[in-house]
């Protein structure tokens, strides 16, 4: 029993072969490049097919898990792209599977796979401990996420559950590119933070202002940069507590480029959660940073199709 895990990001694709005991081999990644299908084919070919029993794919959204299609915002040539069928065809071409159309290929969102991977391999549940509820959040160019409820990724009827970036934080706030008003993403994404900081007097020392430079300035004590992180922490805390009130969440794990700021984000976030939390059960929430980094998404993708030990099996959207 071996899974091929595929992580479709907006700028990079990654693959790995993952075994039920959590061993990861043949991990590789490539920039998406001008021909995303060729990039994917190259990675799949190099990973090999020995003993492969399923393929799990985590993809940047939006996705349609029922149709097996994806439309990653940063890959404009993929709109309603038939990713599941394409992967099946690649496998059939490259590895001569007896029944490529019957081969298990599961698709979920990248945030959902991150949450499931952290649950399985990141010390946030699993490993024989009691079933728990985990919220994973990816704070990056956008804000994504996923929920694991008692060991099962909750994907929703279309595969889009967990879009925490589009929880309304401020009904009087800015219009979000998604069409709604005051989404978490309009405040807490890397580009939103940088925009706000620049509009409020931040002078970036780097040639291209980005969240990394903003984090460096916040860590150095530049007040406007610290305020930008405080603002993001407040908005994230509101979204986390909203989700926790609905799902009785135990653990929150945060990944993505903005979370690479570490305690610059986590310290004000923990304080904001403690300050905003009301009901008793919300006060037991723990918030930590991913320990698996990008591998969380690969582990989660693999877990979609691997037999489970101590995990409730995934049953599809
Ligand atoms: Zn939105």
């Amino acid at each position: 029993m071996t899974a091929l895990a595929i992580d479709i990001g907006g700028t990079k694709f990654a693959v790995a072969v993952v075994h039920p005991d959590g061993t990861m081999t043949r991990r590789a990644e490539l920039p998406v490049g001008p021909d995303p299908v060729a990039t994917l084919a190259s990675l799949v070919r190099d990973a090999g097919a020995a003993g492969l029993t399923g393929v799990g794919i985590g993809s940047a959204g939006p996705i349609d898990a029922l149709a097996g299609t994806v439309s990653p915002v940063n890959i404009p040539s993929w709109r309603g792209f038939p990713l599941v069928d394409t992967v099946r065809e690649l496998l059939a071409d490259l590895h001569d599977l007896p029944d490529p159309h019957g081969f298990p290929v599961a698709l979920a969102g990248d945030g959902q796979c991150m949450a499931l991977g952290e649950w399985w391999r990141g010390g946030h549940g699993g490993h024989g401990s009691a079933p728990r509820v985990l919220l994973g959040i990816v704070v990056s160019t956008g804000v994504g996420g996923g929920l694991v409820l008692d060991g099962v990724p909750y994907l929703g009827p279309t595969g889009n559950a967990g879009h925490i970036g589009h929880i309304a934080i401020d009904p009087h706030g800015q219009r979000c590119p998604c069409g709604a008003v005051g989404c978490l993403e309009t405040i807490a994404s890397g580009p939103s933070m940088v925009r706000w900081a620049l509009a409020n007097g931040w002078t970036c020392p780097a040639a291209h202002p980005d969240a990394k430079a903003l984090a460096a300035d916040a860590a150095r004590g530049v007040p406007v940069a610290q305020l930008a992180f405080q603002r993001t922490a407040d908005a994230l805390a509101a979204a986390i507590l909203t989700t926790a009130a609905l799902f009785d969440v135990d653990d929150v794990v945060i990944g993505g480029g903005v979370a690479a700021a570490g305690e610059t984000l986590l310290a004000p976030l923990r304080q904001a959660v403690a300050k905003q939390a009301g009901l008793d059960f919300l006060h037991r929430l723990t918030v930590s940073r991913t320990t698996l980094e990008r591998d969380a998404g690969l582990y989660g993708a693999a877990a979609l199709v691997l037999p489970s030990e101590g995990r409730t099996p995934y049953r599809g959207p």
Side-chain angles (χ1 to χ4, degrees):
M1 292 280 180
T2 307
L4 178 65
I6 302 177
D7 178 19
I8 302 292
T11 57
K12 281 181 186 171
F13 292 169
V15 304
V17 172
V18 181
H19 304 266
D21 66 358
T23 317
M24 187 183 279
T25 55
R26 297 184 168 268
R27 191 195 185 291
E29 64 180 58
L30 287 173
V32 174
D35 184 349
V37 174
T39 305
L40 183 61
S42 157
L43 285 166
V44 169
R45 186 168 47 236
D46 290 349
L52 214 61
T53 49
V55 180
I57 310 170
S59 175
I63 68 167
D64 184 334
L66 288 178
T69 59
V70 303
S71 309
V73 176
N74 289 328
I75 308 177
S77 62
W78 282 13
R79 288 293 168 269
F81 178 77
L83 181 59
V84 168
D85 286 348
T86 301
V87 167
R88 281 213 172 94
E89 282 161 21
L90 286 175
L91 289 166
D93 288 350
L94 300 172
H95 305 306
D96 197 22
L97 289 175
D99 177 20
H101 296 289
F103 199 68
V105 180
L107 169 67
D110 50 0
Q112 296 162 334
C113 286
M114 175 267 199
L116 182 58
E118 287 287 345
W119 195 88
W120 180 29
R121 301 297 303 167
H124 296 277
H127 305 298
S129 61
R132 304 197 295 180
V133 177
L134 174 73
L135 168 64
I137 305 178
V138 181
V139 189
S140 180
T141 317
V143 179
L147 274 166
V148 179
L149 307 178
D150 293 341
V152 183
Y154 180 71
L155 305 185
T158 67
N160 282 290
H163 264 113
I164 194 167
H166 301 282
I167 282 184
I169 295 301
D170 179 3
H172 306 290
Q174 287 178 32
R175 179 73 66 178
C176 177
C178 79
V181 172
C183 294
L184 173 63
E185 198 165 292
T186 66
I187 299 171
S189 75
S192 299
M193 294 171 72
V194 168
R195 238 185 339 265
W196 182 89
L198 290 171
N200 285 274
W202 180 49
T203 313
C204 179
H208 298 289
D210 61 11
K212 198 175 169 186
L214 189 64
D217 267 5
R220 262 203 303 273
V222 175
V224 68
Q226 288 181 322
L227 266 177
F229 273 86
Q230 184 64 55
R231 203 166 160 268
T232 285
D234 289 343
L236 276 171
I240 286 168
L241 289 166
T242 300
T243 308
L246 280 174
F247 290 101
D248 198 1
V249 174
D250 307 274
D251 272 359
V252 181
V253 59
I254 313 232
V258 174
E263 287 303 303
T264 302
L265 175 65
L266 269 285
L269 176 56
R270 289 195 192 97
Q271 283 166 12
V273 167
K275 191 173 154 195
Q276 292 179 32
L279 298 167
D280 279 350
F281 73 93
L282 298 174
H283 286 273
R284 67 195 174 80
L285 253 186
T286 58
V287 180
S288 58
R289 201 166 96 67
T290 172
T291 51
L292 301 171
E293 306 291 346
R294 187 156 191 181
D295 286 351
L298 286 169
Y299 280 124
L304 295 173
V305 291
L306 280 175
S308 55
E309 194 167 337
R311 279 182 295 120
T312 311
Y314 169 68
R315 300 195 195 286

